[in-house]
Each structure stands twice: as C-alpha cells, then as structure tokens.
Amino acid sequence: MQHFFVEPSQIQGNRIRITGTDVNHIRNVLRMHSGEEISVSNGTDGRDYRCEIDTITEDEVLCRLMFIKEDGVELPVRITLFQGLPKADKMELIIQKAVELGAAEIVPVATARCVVKLDDKKAKSKVERWQGISEAAAKQSKRAVVPQVCAPMSMKEALNYASEMAMAAIPYELAEGMQATDRFVEDVCRLASQKAGEERPQIGIFIGPEGGFTEEEIELAQEKEVCPLSLGKRILRTETAGLAILSVLMYHLEERG
Ligand code: SAM
C-alpha cells in the first residue's frame, strides 16, 4: 500500500488533504483513482491513517479516513543516534539505514577526532540534505514518523542532551566483554515494557567517527552515566557500528504481538 506524509493540519476529522509533489505522484506516476486505499502519517504521532481516495484534482488529493492503526511500525522506545561526523558522504548511508532500522532522531556530533569540520553555512545545507535522506528513507520503509536530523552538536552538548534521556550508551572498542552490552539491551527492553502505553521513552547511542573517541570523551560520557559497551571483538567501521547496535535493539524491541 502506498504511504504518504502530511502535516498534522492536513488531517481534519475524517478528511485528509494531500498536496504538493505527492499530488503529481498519485495522479501521473501511480495513476491512482478514487476508491483506492492509501496509508498516511502525520510524521509525529506514530499513527497510521488508512484512507480511501475521494477526489483527485490538479493540486490536491482529498481522502476519507477509514480507520487509524495505533500499533504502527514505530519501536516502543525513541532511539537517538549520536553519530560522530564521518568523512565523505558516509553520513547519508548511516542516516538512510538508521531510519530503516527504526531510529527516531539523528544528531551529528563534532567529536575531537572528527576530520570533517562544518561551519554554520555548510552545516545548514548538509542538515537540509540529510533531512531529505531521512524523509525518503522513512517513506520507503513506511515509517509513521520522519526522524529528525538535528543541527550538529559538540560532544559536550550531545552528552548534556543524552543526560536528559532515560538511558544512553557509548559503544567503545576498548570496552571489555559483552556483559555491559547485555545489561544495556536488557535494561532498554525492560524500560520499553514498563512504559508500554505511555509516552515512548528516549534512549541515546553514541558512535565515534573513523578515529574513535578520545579517553577524555569516554570519561566525560561515564560522568554523565552514558555507559561504554562492546560491539564484539572486531573493530567496526563508523558506518557499521551504529547500524549494528540499532539492529540488535530493533530485534529485541520489535513488537511480537
Ligand atoms: N578506534 C577505532 C580503531 O582502532 O580503528 C576506530 C573507531 S571505529 C572506526 C568508530 C566507532 O565505532 C567507535 O568510536 C565506536 O563507537 C564504534 N565501534 C567500532 N568497533 C566497536 C566495537 N568492537 N565495540 C564497540 N564499539 C565499536
């Protein structure tokens, strides 16, 4: 079933109005007609609005709401990926895969060993491009929300943000053994079940750039109760590590209803 995102204001009662480039897509690319069903999200409430196309005009598609699927596709916790700014265009791949795996937010972090330096102007245009990647991946994977790509933060700012979250971890290749990893995953799953039916809790995951984290950064993280953990005995690339821990969390958190 085709999936579209609208602004919350475009959902009024049982009427849903699609505008913009999606109109041309529905009319001329998909060649859809009245009576056909589509699914719509407003990108924020995690709900899946199933509707039937009513009328298609040049510049809007009017739909009739049939029902709302509450237990949509979102994970029971909101995962924020704090990603050390990687080289070249790796960030685009990381964002695309993180969105497919259920991340709710991506924060680029300018850590001590980041080779890439973004001034405000460059950062603004990069974040716009990355947000577009997130939206495209959210559409393709039929997410109910469009994960936000935030403006780059310093490590200190990122750790302060993470300290407001329910839990956070920092995968670190020098962390000993898998006990901390097991404990973290168990704690996240316990948190998810404790908060079922309430506002989804937020957790953070920190991934370093190609050069990794400095010892000072790891110490700072521990002071903020962001726990270092191992992702195994091999050294993963920065573009692999976040996806590895997201895959583990997704597997354990996925609804098995
Ligand atoms: N210091 C690494 C080295 O010796 O090559 C480089 C860092 S690694 C390319 C990038 C990031 O991936 C690390 O900062 C860490 O967050 C994560 N990472 C990679 N392998 C890991 C592992 N085995 N356990 C935990 N985290 C890992």
Side-chain angles (χ1 to χ4, degrees):
M1 181 178 293
Q2 296 295 332
H3 186 77
F4 299 93
F5 285 98
V6 298
E7 292 299 323
S9 60
Q10 291 173 253
I11 300 176
Q12 304 275 342
N14 71 347
R15 309 297 293 167
I16 295 179
R17 203 163 59 83
I18 296 176
T19 56
T21 54
D22 283 338
V23 177
N24 174 59
H25 194 63
I26 290 169
R27 273 169 62 98
N28 305 320
V29 177
L30 300 171
R31 297 186 180 283
M32 297 186 85
H33 300 287
S34 300
E36 288 190 71
E37 290 180 19
I38 57 173
S39 94
V40 170
S41 301
N42 68 12
T44 54
D45 65 10
R47 289 171 156 181
D48 180 1
Y49 295 81
R50 291 294 169 88
C51 28
E52 183 183 77
I53 294 178
D54 221 355
T55 46
I56 301 178
T57 66
E58 277 285 316
D59 45 19
E60 65 179 13
V61 175
L62 292 173
C63 306
R64 181 182 60 79
L65 177 63
M66 298 190 307
F67 60 91
I68 297 174
K69 242 167 93 41
E70 291 290 351
D71 61 340
V73 295
E74 297 306 311
L75 292 174
V77 297
R78 287 173 297 138
I79 302 174
T80 293
L81 174 65
F82 292 97
Q83 174 64 49
L85 278 169
K87 293 177 192 163
D89 54 2
K90 287 180 196 172
M91 194 60 160
E92 299 187 8
L93 175 86
I94 292 166
I95 289 168
Q96 185 186 61
K97 301 312 169 197
V99 169
E100 290 173 48
L101 288 166
E105 183 181 54
I106 293 126
V107 178
V109 185
T111 69
R113 291 183 184 158
C114 283
V115 171
V116 171
K117 306 286 180 211
L118 295 177
D119 60 27
D120 289 352
K121 191 159 166 281
K122 238 189 255 170
K124 189 169 176 306
S125 68
K126 281 281 185 192
V127 168
E128 276 168 16
R129 176 163 174 72
W130 292 338
Q131 189 60 51
I133 301 257
S134 173
E135 174 141 358
K139 270 191 176 176
Q140 174 275 323
S141 55
K142 296 194 178 352
R143 291 285 300 270
V145 298
V146 178
Q148 188 189 352
V149 180
C150 301
M153 291 185 189
S154 66
M155 185 65 174
K156 200 156 170 283
E157 289 164 336
L159 287 170
N160 286 337
Y161 180 23
S163 63
E164 297 162 14
M165 297 178 182
M167 298 167 62
I170 183 163
Y172 183 43
E173 58 283 7
L174 301 182
E176 286 291 316
M178 297 301 283
Q179 295 78 3
T181 316
D182 290 343
R183 211 170 29 255
F184 180 74
V185 174
E186 283 159 17
D187 290 350
V188 170
C189 291
R190 189 177 311 111
L191 179 71
S193 54
Q194 281 165 354
K195 299 286 184 191
E198 298 173 33
E199 163 89 14
R200 291 180 299 148
Q202 190 175 9
I203 69 163
I205 301 285
F206 284 75
I207 298 293
E210 290 84 352
F213 291 112
T214 62
E215 277 181 30
E216 295 73 27
E217 288 171 332
I218 296 296
E219 281 159 21
L220 256 179
Q222 288 176 296
E223 284 165 21
K224 296 280 184 184
E225 293 177 6
V226 176
C227 65
L229 54 76
S230 171
L231 296 180
K233 294 187 172 68
R234 293 156 300 286
I235 300 291
L236 308 179
R237 287 177 178 273
T238 185
E239 63 269 32
T240 312
L243 308 184
I245 183 70
L246 281 172
S247 300
V248 168
L249 289 171
M250 180 275 288
Y251 173 77
H252 285 279
L253 287 166
E254 194 56 272
E255 297 293 318
R256 286 172 170 70

